[in-house]
Amino acid sequence: MPTPVPTPKSAPAPAPVPVSAPVPASASDDVVTPLPPLPSLAAQAERLVALGVPELAGLSAAELRAYAAEAAAGDAGARGELLLAVHPDRVPASALAPLLRRAGKPGFVVTDMTDVDLFVPHHAELPDAPLYVVAGPDRGDRMANWSPEEALPALTEEGRTPLVLTEGIHWLLQQPEALERNHCFMTIGSRLRKAGGALDARTPAIWISNGTGRDGRERRDAPKVGWCWWNNRHTWLGFASAGCRTPVQAVADRS
């Protein structure tokens, strides 16, 4: 009779992770490409002029250039690189998204987010000015696989402010390299308040389309403005934030 082979003892099961605890993103072979510096504010202004943004905002190209020059002379850059942004009241996300480009394809808003322009700043205080600068934009890769509910208090504790959707788009207009496969971001500074007063559970995000489903194959690799649930986690989404926002009063007074 053959000798019975003893059954090896199974390893103890790992301790469960509390639902409220963020889970680190799993390791992968993806290498995060270091981002180049943002262009100068003067160069950013020229980029917006070339895209026709001043006309969308009801401003002249000269006003936009003057603002960039004034902002560059200030000290807003003390908290990092500067990003030129147009207030969403002047140019909403639906008008900015098609200006994005990746792999030669324009950006788009998902078909089930026709109310994208109703998402307004939440836990993000924007200057009362048509144009302002955002200091130190960051993609928030360190928070990949966190939920928005977990990320917001962490950003607040760090003294940072979440980007609103239009700021995220402005960032990609100036620095397209900030959007990489498996390294995209949410803009949880924008939320939609429903008629009853409760916040909509959808949270805006920007990532790269796979060309599946309602996106259509022709949109594969295009920049995509969509949404994710407030309590969900995604290994490929960080949380975009900034150090501060600063208006240039001389220009704000002319608006």
Side-chain angles (χ1 to χ4, degrees), residues 38-49 64 82-84 174:
L38 272 168
S40 68
L41 290 177
Q44 290 183 42
E46 292 306 321
R47 169 73 171 149
L48 295 180
V49 169
L64 182 57
L82 298 181
L83 171 69
L84 190 60
Q174 304 292 350

Side-chain angles (χ1 to χ4, degrees), residues 5 14 32 38 41 44 46 62 65 70 75 80 83 124 133 160 170 173 181 185 194 208 212-213 220 228 230 235 244:
V5 178
V32 180
L38 272 168
L41 290 177
Q44 290 183 42
E46 292 306 321
R65 293 180 176 120
E70 187 75 17
D75 60 357
L83 171 69
V133 289
R160 296 187 63 81
H170 273 292
L173 289 175
R181 282 210 174 272
F185 57 86
K194 296 191 288 188
I208 300 167
T212 57
R220 179 174 174 79
C228 298
W230 178 255
T235 58
C244 65

Side-chain angles (χ1 to χ4, degrees), residues 11 58-59 61 80 83 107 128 144 190 195 225 232:
L59 299 169
L83 171 69
D128 184 16
S190 293
V225 174
N232 283 9

Side-chain angles (χ1 to χ4, degrees), residues 104-164:
K105 298 178 181 180
F108 67 98
V109 179
V110 294
T111 58
D112 57 354
M113 203 177 183
T114 56
D115 53 0
V116 63
D117 294 336
L118 299 181
F119 284 72
V120 298
H122 183 73
H123 288 287
E125 187 173 346
L126 272 57
D128 184 16
L131 295 143
Y132 60 96
V133 289
V134 178
D138 178 76
R139 197 167 57 190
D141 291 345
R142 66 194 181 283
M143 293 180 179
N145 213 28
W146 291 31
S147 71
E149 185 176 37
E150 295 157 345
L152 181 58
L155 291 173
T156 302
E157 187 174 351
E158 293 175 4
R160 296 187 63 81
T161 175
L163 292 193
V164 299

Side-chain angles (χ1 to χ4, degrees), residues 51-104:
L51 291 171
V53 173
E55 290 84 355
L56 295 174
L59 299 169
S60 68
E63 285 179 302
L64 182 57
R65 293 180 176 120
Y67 176 83
E70 187 75 17
D75 60 357
R79 297 189 69 178
E81 292 187 303
L82 298 181
L83 171 69
L84 190 60
V86 180
H87 198 287
D89 285 351
R90 290 294 186 112
V91 186
S94 64
L96 289 174
L99 303 179
L100 293 170
R101 288 293 184 278
R102 187 179 186 278

